[in-house]
Amino acid sequence: MESNMITEVSSGVCDPSAGQPHRAALILARGGSKGIPLKNIKNLAGVPLIAWVLRAALDSEAVDSVWVSTDHDEIERVARVWGAKVHRRSPEVSKDSSSSLETIQEFIRLRPEVDIVCHIQATSPCLHPHHIREALQMITEQGCDYVFSGVRRHQFRWEEVDKKDGKNPTSPNIDVAHRPRRQDWPGELYENGSFYFSTRKALETGLKQLGKIAYYEMLPEYSVDIDVDIDWPVAEQRVLRFGYFGREEKAAVRLFLCKVSGCLTNGQIFTSVSGEDHVAINARDVAGIQMLQRENIEVFLISNMNEPLSKGLLEKVAQLTGCRLQFGEQQNWFEMEQLMKEKKLCWNEGAFMGSESEDREILSQVGLNGVPCDSPVADLIAAKYTCQRPAGNGAVREFAEYILMLKKKSLLQVHQEHIDRANF
């Protein structure tokens, strides 16, 4: 059991007719981050940082609304693409000196229907829906006014001393002569900054008149906080292993559909002196396709009549990559639906990599979608994976590795590779 304070969990779905309190998830995302510019929407493992917590909040089924409070147009765009509502905060609470409490108080003043605020930090990408459900129950069912997330750490603390005084430092939690083994010491609870849930009344009083306060203990593998650049590569590895990937996390991909122009190639066509057309394909992308094929994932290259490459050249590309070529008149949803039926597959068993606005319908249907970082459609959809590499320069290989990583992850046990929590 992750938290010894939770004994039973229900869906937490609100029934307005039952007079239940309105529960709003709120993510604060100011545009003026000093450590990492626009940190909240920077891609972490192919997904905007803020999207990791938005996905968890939206899938939790425990809150009635999910909001992002921001002062920045681009953050607003990303928030809306990922399904959140947006509160445009005022300049008064958008300063470097503005506190989170001031910003939340402005939000509830403008949202009188909100009874409970689930303040979630965008910088905690390993948050899962069950964390939100269980912590929220501590307010709705156990009568708490304020619940914060914490993590247990086995660290010995030492008091700082002025070296000029020549005094010895002392430890408030260790006897140097009897240093305990890790397994013999329960450790200490630290606030980890993942979330802070509170009632409207508690917020209106500035958290100065709190009744019952409780902590929600998260396992250390889920306790990830990003503050500076050096945290980013560590967080990327952690989120790939312990992050919440959405409801389709365990869907097994059996068919990969990949657009040629804009994905496998960068759209450039070279014409020789003799008038022959040529196109460049990155060897890493070919290797990525072969990796999928070795795992019994069939790969189709798809194109249509609007394709700038000739059908003959497309067939050569398909031959080079060892793929089937699906060449349709429009390359629309209906044609792809027919292909899925022929293969006797469901949409959630397919992965699709597209790049143009015409690909949006198919991207929204498949179980897993990906786009190169330079594709026009990247700004229009909430892609499950946005590649760090551009089209024709390793984007297909990157997405292929992501597909295989999810396949491996789906085979793991519920508790993420059996973490030895006694020695984490």
Side-chain angles (χ1 to χ4, degrees), residues 258-269 279-280 301-304 306-310 313-314 317 325 331 352-356 358-359 372 375-376 391-392 396:
C258 181
K259 282 284 292 290
V260 179
S261 291
C263 292
L264 187 59
T265 76
N266 61 6
Q268 290 183 319
I269 302 175
V279 66
L301 301 183
I302 61 175
S303 188
N304 60 20
N306 297 324
E307 173 68 56
L309 302 180
S310 67
L313 191 53
L314 288 168
V317 171
L325 175 65
Q331 189 247 303
F352 176 57
M353 190 172 198
S355 62
E356 301 293 335
E358 65 189 34
D359 302 326
S375 67
V396 173

Side-chain angles (χ1 to χ4, degrees), residues 6 11-14 20-25 60-64 115-119 129-144 147 195 197-199 216:
I6 301 295
S11 67
V13 178
C14 180
Q20 293 206 31
H22 184 101
R23 298 159 289 191
S60 71
E61 298 183 336
V63 296
D64 304 295
D115 300 299
I116 299 172
V117 174
C118 304
H119 172 207
H130 73 271
H131 296 139
I132 299 171
R133 289 194 298 267
E134 294 172 0
L136 189 53
Q137 280 188 314
M138 299 172 75
I139 290 181
T140 60
E141 298 181 13
Q142 298 180 23
C144 295
V147 176
F195 58 76
F197 294 180
S198 51
T199 62
Y216 177 85

Side-chain angles (χ1 to χ4, degrees), residues 289-321:
I289 289 173
Q290 292 172 344
M291 289 164 56
L292 294 174
Q293 292 168 333
R294 285 195 293 269
E295 292 295 323
N296 296 318
I297 297 174
E298 192 171 6
V299 182
F300 271 73
L301 301 183
I302 61 175
S303 188
N304 60 20
M305 299 294 290
N306 297 324
E307 173 68 56
L309 302 180
S310 67
K311 188 173 182 181
L313 191 53
L314 288 168
E315 289 173 345
K316 289 182 180 179
V317 171
Q319 183 179 8
L320 176 65
T321 56

Side-chain angles (χ1 to χ4, degrees), residues 262-283:
C263 292
L264 187 59
T265 76
N266 61 6
Q268 290 183 319
I269 302 175
F270 306 95
T271 304
S272 67
V273 176
S274 60
E276 292 182 336
D277 287 342
H278 301 272
V279 66
I281 301 176
N282 195 299

